[in-house]
Every structure is written in C-alpha cells, then in structure tokens.
C-alpha cells in the first residue's frame, strides 16, 4: 500500500468511526496495559425479572412443539406459523419500546431468548437476529418520532418483517465501498436509488428494509446514508427471494435491485451522510446476540457429547475413559463457559449505558463464533460416523455455523480492526510524547503524564479487582498478562510506526491477544459472581442464564472457568512470544511465489 492510499484509508476510517474513536472503553484500556475497572459494569444476575424467566420457558416450550429445525432445513423455509408464534410471544419486538408494542427488554434478557433459539434452530435464530437486532433497532436509535410511530408497532408484532441491506457485490466487510446511489429528485422531495444488494437475510420477504446508499456531497465521492425502503416502492426488485446456500437454509437470503427506486425524503434514517454510523452501531447489537445464539448451540453440543461418550463403547471401554476424549470434553466445557461469560458481560455493558462497546462486541463475535466452530468440530469427531448422517443434528449445525465467522464482519477483518482501533490512542500518546521531547518547555505536561503512567506500570501490574480471595492467583496472572500486552503494543508502534496498518501478522497476534484477554476477564468476573451468589443456592448448586435443564454444579463451573483461564494464559504467552520469534518472512515468501499478482 502506498503512503498516499494508506493515509486516505486512515482518514476515511477516522471519518466513518467519528466520535467513537475518541470515546473511552474498557477494551481500549487493555492496549495501554490498563484494567479500567470503572468502565466494566457488574456481571449480570443469572436470572432476570419473573416475566423474563416465564418468557424464556415459554420460548423453550414453543421451540419443542412448533419449531422443527429438520423440516426448516429440508424445505429451506421458516413456516409462517413459526413467525406468527414468535410474534405472539413478543420475541420479534423483545427490546423495542413498550410504547411501540415491544416488550422493552434489556439486552441481557434478549440474549437469553437468542440463546434458546441458537440451541434449537440456527435458521430461526438468524431470522430473529436479522429482523430485530439489526432491523427495527436502527429505527429506535436513529429514527424520528414520526418514523418510530409509523414503523415500530408492526415490526414489534411481527406483522411486518425487516431486513438490513448493506452488502453488495463490492461491499462486504469493506462496508465503506457501497456503490448503490441515492440521487435527490429535482423537487428535493425524494431520492432515486440505483444499485444492487446481495446476501440480504430476510431481503426477499421483508416489508421494511434499511438500505445503505451513497448520497452526493461536495467531494464528488458521496457519503453513505440510510433509508427505509418498502417493496411497494416503484423500482424495487427482488432478483432472488431465496438464494440456495450451504446452511441456515430456512432463512430467506435475497438478492435485490433498485432501478430508479423512488424513496421519500422523510424515509431517510438518521442524518444525511451518516449511514455507516447507523450500520456500525446496529451491527454492534447484532454481534452480541451472535454470541448468545452461539452459546446456545455450544450448550447443546456439550450436553449431547457428554451423553454420547459415556454410552458409546469401543475397545471394551466407554469413550469417556480415553484421555483424548476427555481432553475434548474439558475444552468444550471451558469454551462454553467462557463464551457465555463474554456474551452476558458485554450485554451488561450495553444495558449499563456504556458510551462505547464497539471493540468489545467485535471481540465477542470473533471469540464466540470461533469457539463454537471448534466445539462443533469436536462434537462431530466424538460422534464419529454417526454425526455424518442426516438423522443426527450435527451436520446441519455444522453447515449452519459456517456463516458465523463471515457474517456481520469477517473475523480476520474484525481482529485487525480491533487491533488498529485499540492501538490508535496509544499511538497518539507516543506521538505526543515524541513531540514533547522535541519541545520540552511547552509540552512538559505530556512528558509528565506519560512518565507517571510508565513508572506505575513498571512498579506493579494493573490490579484486577475481585471479591473472593480464592481467585487471587487467577487475577494476578491476568494482571501480569495485561501489563505485558501493553508493553508489546508500544513495541509494535515504536517498531513499525505508521506502517503498522499494513503489518497484519502483527495486528492479528495483538488482536487475538486482546480477544483472549477480554474473554478471560469476563470469565473471571463470572466466576467471582458465581461465588458471590453461592449463598443463594444450596450446597453445590449453580446457575446458568437460560439452561432449560439443571445447570452445572457450581464447583464444575468454577473448574471450567479455571481451565479456560489456564489454557488462555498459555495461548496469550505464545502469541506475544511469536511477535518476536516467527516465520512471517517465510510465510510471505512462499505466498508470493504462489501469488504472482502480489509481486507486481
């Protein structure tokens, strides 16, 4: 990448992310080697208000009696009766305001619902997430009072289905590359949309779509704006209502076209030119519920795998007696525990009213989707040939889960994104210190602030506050890792300076480290919370957020948490060591031999 193109991309990113780059968040503090305890709310209670508990169990019963995941997969369609039933329960308007017909639930409560759906039917979970988390949510956050009054009641009831139309042939993870245009009409009363969208969940069946299109500006490039579009508008075309695909086959993934599609000006959602702010904000909410649906699927897999390996006999022994089987079960149990912890801690951050949770939701999405993929793969392996056949749910679940690491931001893009956003403020501080050193009299405050922070870090690792002494060792280890991570971030910035944006090997390792640190912190906080709630349960009882059956005993949950922390600690140390001892040059050399276009 040339210096000019790099600077242009950075300028575009700064404009797109806007104020969010300047806000403080818990995850950003990690890149400074800090544990910003005041930015992390308490871990949420295991059970919510009584009406939420009732709704969770109603949804469990509804899934058992009315949602047939095998039929949905085979016929590649979610029955109208299922959609109507979800609407009647209130699931399709769960977090929408009560005055608009919704239930007004918290993000934590909504995650409990998505966890149930994710453990039962991947297609139905994705349908609900696409309709609710990234559909009417945009109207709640950015709509005018008139727009909310017009659109939300029918979206909340499920009478209308929504879709979010961002992706195009040239715009996927590169969301800023939207080419669909929105040209003002001569009288200024409407916009004329032209372009195509593809891979839009619910796109071919939606009654209301949030569409991203480029409106003209002084630069000539245009700025992306958001519009509320309905299928009855002239020029709206469904090219494919249900694109045939590998998994989540029940969802209607559509291909759309806008050919001189006339959209009234009052249907613009949010300020003109701020469409990507709308998109990125609602995707944050969608990524949290991604974590919840993945948690539900992981719990299902662990339950089935534990049962199978104790019943299946080979070589005159139950599979459960073999160490490699035990290794998989331990890792699956720990991964499930950490995934749930990360999901609900992030949901609590949203419910708490945190100003910025962009990095945390991106980290959760990467962690949850990749952990589920590993759990599914291990479940498949433990079931052997049995899992390969369609009378078992695992081949369907494997197909359904494959999209998770791609949709709502490809994971490799998100881990690099997390690194760059997290490192930005560290880089600005180092740049400020460099300038201060060159002009010490006028910028002595910068030097003093930096020196004070570095001195405190040299004296001690950041404190990771916990309430229970039995977790002291885990908290201390985590503090040391956070300190080392902050030092390595500074090393990377000093070493590569502005070229860091192109050093994806380095960014990926730092991103993965930050993700595992965040997951470990959430896991430790969940363990601390469980020990605190011990007095509310008799003996060894434990609790989980939406487990329909008996949750794991408290001692087992704590053991799972400790195992995850231990495994994560080893992974983080390996990642940070590989910043300095790696095969990056050989990797590039071999890749370029295979990719002559790179050498041009």
């Amino acid at each position: 990448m040339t210096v000019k193109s790099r600077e242009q991309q950075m300028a575009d990113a700064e404009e797109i992310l806007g104020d969010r780059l300047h806000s403080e968040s818990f995850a950003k503090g990690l890149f400074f080697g800090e544990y910003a305890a005041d930015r992390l709310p308490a871990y949420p209670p295991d059970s919510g208000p009584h009406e939420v508990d009732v709704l969770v169990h109603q949804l469990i019963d509804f899934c058992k009696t009315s949602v047939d995941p095998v039929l949905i997969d085979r016929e590649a369609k979610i029955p109208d009766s299922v959609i109507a039933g979800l609407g009647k329960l209130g699931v399709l308007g769960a977090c929408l305001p009560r005055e608009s017909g919704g239930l007004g639930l918290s993000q934590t409560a909504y995650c409990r619902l998505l966890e149930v759906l994710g453990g039962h039917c991947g297609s139905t979970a994705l349908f609900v997430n696409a309709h609710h988390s990234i559909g009417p949510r945009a109207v709640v956050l950015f709509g005018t009072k008139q727009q909310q009054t017009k659109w939300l009641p029918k979206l909340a009831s499920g009478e209308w289905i929504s879709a979010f139309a961002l992706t195009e042939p040239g715009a996927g993870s590169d969301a800023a590359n939207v080419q669909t245009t929105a040209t003002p009409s001569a009288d200024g009363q409407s916009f004329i949309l032209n372009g195509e969208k593809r891979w839009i969940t619910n796109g071919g069946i939606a009654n209301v779509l949030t569409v991203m299109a480029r409106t003209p500006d002084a630069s000539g490039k245009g700025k992306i704006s958001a519009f509320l579009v309905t299928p009855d508008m002239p020029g709206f075309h469904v090219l494919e209502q249900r694109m045939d695909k590998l998994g989540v086959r029940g969802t209607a993934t559509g291909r759309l076209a806008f050919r001189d599609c006339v959209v009234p000006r009052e249907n613009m959602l949010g300020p003109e030119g701020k469409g990507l702010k709308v998109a990125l904000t609602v995707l944050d909410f969608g990524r949290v519920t991604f974590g919840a649906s993945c948690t539900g699927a992981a719990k299902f897999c662990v339950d089935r795998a534990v049962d199978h390996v104790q019943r299946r006999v080979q070589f005159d022994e139950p599979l459960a007696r073999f160490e490699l089987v035990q290794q998989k079960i331990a890792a699956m149990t720990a991964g499930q525990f950490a995934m749930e912890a990360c999901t609900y801690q992030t949901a609590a951050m949203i419910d708490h009213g945190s100003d910025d949770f962009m990095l945390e939701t991106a980290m959760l999405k990467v962690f949850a989707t990749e952990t589920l993929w590993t759990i599914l793969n291990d479940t498949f392996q433990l079931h052997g040939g049995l899992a390969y056949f369609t009378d078992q749910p695992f081949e369907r679940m494997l197909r359904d889960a494959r999209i998770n690491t791609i949709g709502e931001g490809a994971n490799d893009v998100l881990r690099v994104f997390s690194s760059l956003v997290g490192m930005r403020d560290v880089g600005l501080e180092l740049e400020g210190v460099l300038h201060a050193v060159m002009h010490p009299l006028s910028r002595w405050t910068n030097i003093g602030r930096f020196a004070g922070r570095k001195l405190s870090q040299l004296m001690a690792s950041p404190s990771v506050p916990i309430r229970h002494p039995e977790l002291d060792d885990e908290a201390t280890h985590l503090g040391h890792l956070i300190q080392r991570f902050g030092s390595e971030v500074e090393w990377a910035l000093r070493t590569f300076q502005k070229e860091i944006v192109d050093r994806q090997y380095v960014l990926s390792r730092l991103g993965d480290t930050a993700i595992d640190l965040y997951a470990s912190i959430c896991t430790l906080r969940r363990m601390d919370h469980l020990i605190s709630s011990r007095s509310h349960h008799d003996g060894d009882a434990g609790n989980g957020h939406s487990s329909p059956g008996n949750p794991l005993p408290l001692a087992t949950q704590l053991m799972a948490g400790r195992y995850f922390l231990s495994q994560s600690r080893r992974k983080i140390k390996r990642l940070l060591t590989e910043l300095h001892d790696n095969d990056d040059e050989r990797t590039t050399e071999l890749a370029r031999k295979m990719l002559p276009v790179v050498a041009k």
Side-chain angles (χ1 to χ4, degrees), residues 11-89:
D12 290 344
E14 293 267 345
E15 182 178 359
I16 291 167
L17 296 173
D19 294 341
R20 305 171 92 188
L21 283 176
H22 306 290
S23 60
E24 296 181 339
S25 75
F26 176 81
K28 287 180 181 177
L30 296 176
F31 287 82
F32 282 95
E34 298 174 349
Y35 186 98
D38 59 318
R39 302 177 197 165
L40 202 59
Y43 192 84
D46 296 322
S47 59
H50 176 68
E51 60 268 24
V52 176
D53 295 337
V54 170
L55 179 57
V56 167
H57 286 283
Q58 287 177 336
L59 182 58
I60 291 168
D61 292 340
F62 177 75
C63 287
K64 288 178 180 177
T65 60
S66 305
V67 182
D68 184 346
V70 176
L71 180 69
I72 288 172
D73 180 68
R74 183 171 64 244
E75 297 191 355
K77 182 180 180 181
I78 298 172
D80 292 342
S81 60
V82 171
I83 296 175
L86 292 169
K88 186 176 180 181
L89 283 173

Side-chain angles (χ1 to χ4, degrees), residues 102-155:
L103 299 181
L105 297 186
S106 66
Q107 187 70 22
T108 301
Y110 181 52
C111 282
R112 293 181 64 194
L113 302 179
L114 262 292
E115 188 182 321
V116 172
L117 292 173
H120 187 80
C121 176
S123 289
T124 305
L126 180 58
F127 161 76
V128 172
N129 199 24
H131 165 78
H132 183 285
S133 297
I134 57 175
R137 178 83 73 169
V139 181
V140 172
L141 295 173
F142 297 97
T144 64
K145 187 63 177 177
Q146 291 77 10
Q147 289 172 335
Q148 292 172 357
T149 301
K150 178 178 181 179
W151 305 102
L152 290 181
K154 290 186 177 181
L155 290 170

Side-chain angles (χ1 to χ4, degrees), residues 99-100 139 143-156 159-160 207-208 228-230 232-233 263-264 266-267:
E99 58 269 25
S100 300
V139 181
T144 64
K145 187 63 177 177
Q146 291 77 10
Q147 289 172 335
Q148 292 172 357
T149 301
K150 178 178 181 179
W151 305 102
L152 290 181
K154 290 186 177 181
L155 290 170
E159 183 180 348
W160 286 351
N207 306 92
V208 185
L228 293 166
V229 178
T230 58
D232 59 350
M233 292 177 177
V263 180
E266 60 263 26
N267 281 31

Side-chain angles (χ1 to χ4, degrees), residues 16 28 47 53 80 107 121 142 177 187 227 260 331 341 347 361 398 412 448-449 506 521 600:
I16 291 167
K28 287 180 181 177
S47 59
D53 295 337
D80 292 342
Q107 187 70 22
C121 176
F142 297 97
N177 197 36
D187 61 6
F227 297 89
D260 293 332
T361 59
L398 204 67
D412 281 347
R449 187 186 306 117
V506 173
I521 290 163
K600 292 182 180 179

Side-chain angles (χ1 to χ4, degrees), residues 364-377:
L364 166 61
K365 193 266 182 180
V366 175
F367 177 73
T369 56
E370 293 188 356
T371 301
L372 174 61
W373 184 252
T374 300
I375 289 173
L376 267 167
N377 188 62

Side-chain angles (χ1 to χ4, degrees), residues 24-40 360 363 422 425-426 429 449-458 460-465 475 478-490 514 517-518 521:
E24 296 181 339
S25 75
F26 176 81
K28 287 180 181 177
L30 296 176
F31 287 82
F32 282 95
E34 298 174 349
Y35 186 98
D38 59 318
R39 302 177 197 165
L40 202 59
E360 289 83 357
M363 291 175 178
D425 288 347
V426 184
E429 181 184 78
R449 187 186 306 117
F450 177 75
R453 184 173 66 79
K454 293 304 295 179
L455 184 60
S456 64
Q457 288 181 345
L458 288 172
S461 301
S463 173
V464 177
L478 203 45
H480 289 324
L481 291 176
I482 293 169
Q483 180 188 44
R484 183 178 171 190
F485 176 60
S487 297
E488 295 293 3
V489 167
E490 287 191 12
L517 281 174
Y518 181 61
I521 290 163

